[in-house]
Amino acid sequence: MNRKQKKELRRRLSTRQLMGIDQLTEHGLKTAKGELVFFLLSPDNLSVLSADGVRNRVRALTDLLRSVDAAELLALDSRESFQSNKNYYQTRLEQEAVPAIREMLRQNMAHLDDIQSTTASAREFALVHRIDPKSNEDYSTLKQLEKRIKDCGFHVRMAEDQDVKRLLAVYYQQDVTTERFDNFDGEGSVRTNG
């Protein structure tokens, strides 16, 4: 197959096919290598814990992850990055000669810094549990894993349909602003007009 034929084939593939996703499931997605189930994690009361308390929770989660063969931890930004905007303002500031406009550019940069500092801890953590297609894992096994994570001092829940779509959007596009994801292009328009 030559380069032109490969390009034409890629153009005809759906987004899911390009990403290697066979289908979305209730709590994750299926690929050719098996099912991925997502657990959304958030630490509980870290701001009031001592350094030893935080260390103990991290150690407990680390031990749990070591004991689970097919688990990975994802850490994603759940906020927008303004670095390209800041770079643009910095370039404009270096080129601008008018003092009033220079001051406005400085204020805009300071505003972006304020936004980023107030959302600096906006990280999202997901545990990805791989289920081998040949294994006999069922829903009760997943609930047991969820309980074990809770026992480590974390809020946890299995991801739902919209959570999985949001995680994929953040991972592949850094899209943290979309609140609801449609299954098909134009679905929202049909729903509001229908």
Side-chain angles (χ1 to χ4, degrees), residues 29-101:
L29 51 93
K30 284 188 180 178
T31 69
K33 296 179 181 179
E35 184 174 352
L36 303 176
V37 177
F38 294 91
F39 293 88
L40 302 178
L41 302 171
S42 60
D44 196 14
N45 298 325
L46 284 185
S47 59
V48 297
L49 286 178
S50 67
D52 285 337
V54 172
R55 219 178 339 270
N56 289 338
R57 287 203 183 168
V58 170
R59 189 175 303 118
L61 184 61
T62 303
D63 292 343
L64 173 67
L65 292 176
R66 284 185 189 141
S67 71
V68 178
D69 291 336
E72 300 169 24
L73 191 62
L74 287 178
L76 305 167
D77 284 328
S78 58
R79 63 172 172 83
E80 290 185 82
S81 172
F82 299 109
Q83 192 58 48
S84 60
N85 298 54
K86 288 170 56 176
N87 291 342
Y88 171 77
Y89 286 141
Q90 184 63 43
T91 303
R92 284 281 293 119
L93 186 63
E94 292 167 2
Q95 297 169 349
E96 188 58 54
V98 179
I101 294 177

